Amino acid sequence: MRTARSTRRKRPLTALLAALAGMIGVLVLGGLGPATAQAQEEAALATGLHISDGRLVEGNGNDFIMRGVNHAHTWYPGETQSLADVKALGSNTVRVVLSNGYRWSENSAADVASVVAQCKANRLICVLEVHDTTGYGEEAAADTLDGAADYWIGLQSVLTGEEDYVIINIGNEPWGNTNPEGWTAPTIAAIEKLRNAGFEHTIMVDAPNWGQDWQGVMRATAQSVYEADTTGNLIFSIHMYSVYDTAQKITDYLGAFVQAGLPLVIGEFGGPPDEWGDPDEDAMLAAAEQYQLGYLAWSWSGNTDPILDLAIDFDPSRLSSWGERIFHGPNGIGETAVEATIFDGEGGGEEPQPNAGCAVAYRVVGEWGGGFQGEIVIRNTGTGTIDGWTLAFVFPSGQTVSSMWGGTATQSGGGVSVAPAAYTASIPAGGTVTVGFLGSKGSANAAPSGFTLSGAACTTG
């Protein structure tokens, strides 16, 4: 989407929309061809999520197909519960809107680290994107891809080591409808800048034409852009809105990349009709399932035009018709999403035990200066004994655990994972165990969120 705060919606120039119908089915894919063997060989040695044979795969080589939504974090930084909510509805991925400070308030390194930790605590793959580039060349306020690349380099210390969990989407819709062929060179330059800085993550690049590529620039130059990435770990992102109003247009575009062996995801898409057309969301979802491509619906909540809100007022119990379609409809998230295998057995990732359920009560026992004492009571609300567990949660205000009793804590950014002590490892049905700790804090000491026990979400209170 252009921005969550803009009243303008996805649109090509009206006069040129009509031309697309004849263009998109016959466009020759000049540069599209099989991915190079060298890139494939290098990708096989990649860390974490990477590209292999034109597919996004995990570090263990298993296919990973993104099924999730976009969330406008930079405009709604307090809505972090949304990550748990989209997970509870079945998503395996969330694309998170960030700002590098060029157009909106910058998301700090600490904030980004907290977002990544919360994604991990909720067992979500995290696609991070800089939104300030939206519509460059046509939108006067937009930043360059080079500026976005500099932002990522400034975040390198909190992103290095997260290659299993994080995909870097350099810049959202980084070119408008003016001179879209100008997209290719700065896209290559930004990719090279990040690789030269040492980034090993899978990188995602959005198309020009406000992401919709209706003039076919990304489609025509994709092979040369892909080959510019020395690791081969590059995935293209097409945004499908009113341009894509027939099944033929959708399958032509997606199928071209699949045939060429080049990785592609539908990084944004909408379904509700608008003044520029009526996207064929049913065909998008069916084609994504046919080709086994990822998709990320726009967007969870908070749009200026609420017809694109999947949830009304960020309330997961109040899905819009658009939300019902995405989460519960044919080929939707509920039917097709499969969780990333990286979460098996780590970070709270054991399989939930049969008949298990949990509730967590958190309280601050006392505070002083830059420190505090906290207590977590874990209740087994299931019908069977829990033998062995991992508790995961996220601190939102930069707090850190310095010592703990009743368990052993490990922490990455705001995310905390707790393994039990011998005397707290077993929790009988209806029983509780208590974990206490000493921690450090700044001026704020907000309660943690996103509590899970062995991968299962816990109620709080």
Side-chain angles (χ1 to χ4, degrees), residues 197-208:
F199 280 89
E200 297 182 345
H201 305 69
T202 292
I203 290 174
M204 183 183 292
V205 292
D206 285 7

Side-chain angles (χ1 to χ4, degrees), residues 215-230:
Q215 289 177 289
V217 170
M218 184 173 81
R219 188 175 173 180
T221 62
Q223 185 68 39
S224 62
V225 174
Y226 184 83
E227 290 174 353
D229 185 347
T230 55

Side-chain angles (χ1 to χ4, degrees), residues 255-267:
F257 280 78
V258 172
Q259 183 176 4
L262 290 168
L264 182 70
V265 63
I266 306 174

